[in-house]
Amino acid sequence: MALINEEPWIRVGVIDSYPVVALEFRGDYTVNGILSCSGSYTAREEGEDKISLLDSHGGVLWTGKELSCLPRAAGVFLLKGVTIGVHFHWERREDQVFEGTLILMRRPGKGIIAINKITLETYLSSVISSEMSAEAPVEFLKAHAITSRSWLGAMLHRMRAEAGEAPLPQPSAEEIIRWYTREDHDLYDVCADDHCQRYQGVTKMIADTASEAVRATRGVFLVHGDEICDARFYKACGGRTEEFRNAWEERDVPYLRSISDADRDLPQVRDEADARGWILSRPDAYCNTSDPQLLENILPSFDRETTDFYRWRVDYAREELESVIRSKSGIDFGTLRELIPLTRGPSGRLVRLRIVGSSRSIVVGKELEIRRWLSPSHLYSSAFVVETRRGAEGIPDRFILHGAGWGHGVGLCQIGAAVMSTRGFSADRIVTHYFPGASLAHLY
Ligand SMILES: [Zn+2]
Ligand SMILES: [Zn+2]
């Protein structure tokens, strides 16, 4: 692969499959090269694959397949009631303001898609400032800017070079092993939600230090050989990061291997005894912090609904967990008998878990599918050990999950990176800690 040499454009899917989109142009916009628009409008689905644009009195201005809305000068546009945190416990709706071009298209038979087309650096400024507060440590913000930029660069390359990613394995009756890629995004490059990177337009761009960090690192990418690194990140590793292959497909990614998130060697989890020893203790590590000020500075307010992610615990009555698993997996296991860890990665994250009930016994993986099945929203991570409390005749009463970390654990640990920056590590040192063997290159 040849490395890029100019700033790419990026198409961000902000809204997908809404029947109606309420919007407001703040400034003059030209729609499809002919209509001059300013103020409030509504876009409504029309038939299978068309869209109508209505003015504030409900008059139809235009009907067709696609609306391309370009600001004439420095205009911004507002989208009303955008859902963020889809399927996560912090799901909510907000009005959001964006810069640049708005494209409205149809997902045939399913509603309207709103795409914001902007330059990569503008996108990054917004992503970093929506995810972080202005008070976050500067070197941490720079490390994050480099990481997010690299992830994006690698992703754009993949999407434009290949028609898709490797096919997922077919589930069998006995074993359901899945992982999630961006295969839904056929009509844009990234979505605006946590699935890719949270993007809330310019609404939250008050954090000047964040935009500063993006400007200071403009065009800087993590590279490995002649490739831009697919630099993944998440909230907290729990003391040790995870290998790429344990969360996604079976492939060696040299700079996404498991490292100790500390200035010394921490053990790797190789068996169940290791997992207990690791997860039931609180070893000192960069992300082992409960400093409320630091956490508040690097996690947006709605993420702070969760506070203990280095080590956590979820306690279920058996019937409760049975019903969660039934609704999330669509499979009725009958009376839940046992959760049996089968394969783990070095961070303790489960790759394969056997769920045994009175009527079914099925192996589930990988980490995200396990997290999805075992929680009404998402379990913080798949690095957990199970304590089963049994009642009469050995039937379980409760399942208590003792866990570590938040997220897939592959690549940069956000909490750990923030703590490193408060201890004087530079952005370069932080990213090369989490992406071993990668180096930094100025590509434009
Ligand atoms: Zn996405
Ligand atoms: Zn960590």
Side-chain angles (χ1 to χ4, degrees):
M1 144 184 178
L3 296 170
I4 54 171
N5 53 23
E6 59 179 30
E7 184 181 357
W9 285 92
I10 177 157
R11 290 160 58 96
V12 190
V14 179
I15 274 174
D16 199 333
S17 305
Y18 284 21
V20 175
V21 177
L23 57 110
E24 187 185 318
F25 296 117
R26 294 184 173 169
D28 293 328
Y29 270 71
T30 305
V31 177
N32 288 358
I34 42 167
L35 290 175
S36 276
C37 294
S38 179
S40 296
Y41 296 84
T42 306
R44 184 179 74 195
E45 60 181 340
E46 210 65 71
E48 265 296 291
D49 62 353
K50 289 203 173 63
I51 301 173
S52 284
L53 183 68
L54 287 74
D55 63 21
S56 53
H57 309 292
V60 177
L61 299 173
W62 187 89
T63 300
K65 295 217 173 211
E66 187 171 319
L67 284 129
S68 179
C69 318
L70 276 84
R72 230 178 274 159
V76 296
F77 63 89
L78 179 138
L79 294 176
K80 291 179 186 161
V82 178
T83 306
I84 57 170
V86 179
H87 307 315
F88 284 85
H89 57 92
W90 55 80
E91 179 169 323
R92 71 200 65 205
R93 287 184 149 231
E94 266 184 14
D95 294 350
Q96 294 183 354
V97 178
F98 301 88
E99 264 175 19
T101 300
L102 167 68
I103 299 166
L104 294 169
M105 27 194 314
R106 276 301 300 276
R107 187 168 289 289
K110 279 194 176 159
I112 299 172
I113 300 176
I115 293 168
N116 183 200
K117 187 183 169 196
I118 40 161
T119 60
L120 185 137
E121 299 291 331
T122 310
Y123 170 72
L124 258 189
S125 287
S126 170
V127 166
I128 305 286
S129 34
S130 352
E131 296 213 355
M132 311 296 157
S133 104
E135 274 66 54
V138 173
E139 292 304 304
F140 163 72
L141 288 171
K142 287 198 214 161
H144 211 295
I146 296 167
T147 303
S148 299
R149 183 183 292 112
S150 305
W151 175 81
L152 217 50
M155 191 272 297
L156 290 175
H157 176 80
R158 258 201 321 277
M159 288 192 53
R160 287 163 193 182
E162 307 153 20
E165 297 182 50
L168 296 170
Q170 289 301 310
S172 72
E174 284 300 305
E175 185 150 337
I176 298 174
I177 304 294
R178 291 192 183 115
W179 59 86
Y180 293 84
T181 61
R182 268 154 294 282
E183 80 271 31
D184 331 341
H185 303 339
D186 46 352
L187 299 172
Y188 40 84
D189 300 318
V190 285
C191 68
D193 215 340
D194 300 271
H195 172 263
C196 290
Q197 269 175 283
R198 190 177 299 166
Y199 172 62
Q200 294 168 277
V202 292
T203 325
K204 299 284 167 63
M205 278 179 70
I206 4 117
D208 280 328
T209 36
S211 323
E212 199 61 51
V214 173
R215 265 198 301 280
T217 60
R218 181 184 164 84
V220 177
F221 289 78
L222 280 156
V223 297
H224 187 270
D226 59 355
E227 269 182 38
I228 294 176
C229 295
D230 182 7
R232 315 250 166 161
F233 62 89
Y234 51 88
K235 301 282 191 299
C237 68
R240 184 168 257 291
T241 70
E242 192 47 78
E243 290 170 9
F244 176 86
R245 61 166 64 247
N246 290 330
W248 294 283
E249 73 259 29
E250 297 288 330
R251 179 159 69 79
D252 260 330
V253 182
Y255 52 84
L256 295 179
R257 59 174 193 261
S258 176
I259 56 131
S260 303
D261 196 14
D263 53 8
R264 63 191 200 289
D265 247 353
L266 294 171
Q268 300 206 19
V269 170
R270 278 153 313 194
D271 54 33
E272 282 311 297
D274 287 354
R276 285 191 175 272
W278 176 246
I279 293 169
L280 300 178
S281 64
R282 291 187 80 98
D284 189 27
Y286 292 134
C287 59
N288 182 358
T289 178
S290 50
D291 177 350
Q293 196 55 57
L294 183 76
L295 296 177
E296 202 175 311
N297 287 345
I298 63 166
L299 299 173
S301 54
F302 34 92
D303 281 358
R304 299 262 298 136
E305 288 160 17
T306 311
T307 50
D308 198 6
F309 33 73
Y310 187 70
R311 291 294 179 269
W312 47 263
R313 171 194 151 108
V314 175
D315 189 338
Y316 286 115
R318 191 198 70 235
E319 296 85 347
E320 193 185 355
L321 185 56
E322 281 166 359
S323 116
V324 168
I325 296 176
R326 190 166 53 242
S327 80
K328 297 305 286 288
S329 68
I331 298 166
D332 190 351
F333 284 82
T335 304
L336 201 55
R337 295 258 162 83
E338 229 172 334
L339 297 174
I340 308 172
L342 297 179
T343 318
R344 291 182 189 268
S347 76
R349 283 175 174 74
L350 277 163
V351 184
R352 289 164 71 243
L353 172 74
R354 181 177 285 283
I355 301 176
V356 183
S358 55
S359 46
R360 299 292 292 273
S361 165
I362 291 178
V363 176
V364 58
K366 296 185 177 183
E367 64 94 28
L368 190 57
E369 197 66 352
I370 295 172
R371 289 163 63 197
R372 235 172 52 77
W373 282 26
L374 297 187
S375 163
S377 52
H378 276 72
L379 211 56
Y380 303 136
S381 84
S382 75
F384 59 84
V385 290
V386 185
E387 178 188 340
T388 310
R389 298 216 174 133
R390 294 178 192 275
E393 292 153 35
I395 309 252
D397 284 336
R398 307 198 77 80
F399 289 93
I400 301 159
L401 312 183
H402 300 268
W406 186 3
H408 51 67
V410 180
L412 181 129
C413 167
Q414 291 177 314
I415 309 301
V419 169
M420 284 182 81
S421 70
T422 64
R423 294 191 190 168
F425 289 95
S426 68
D428 299 14
R429 283 288 307 283
I430 295 171
V431 291
T432 48
H433 165 71
Y434 290 108
F435 303 101
S439 53
L440 293 169
H442 235 116
L443 300 185
Y444 52 81

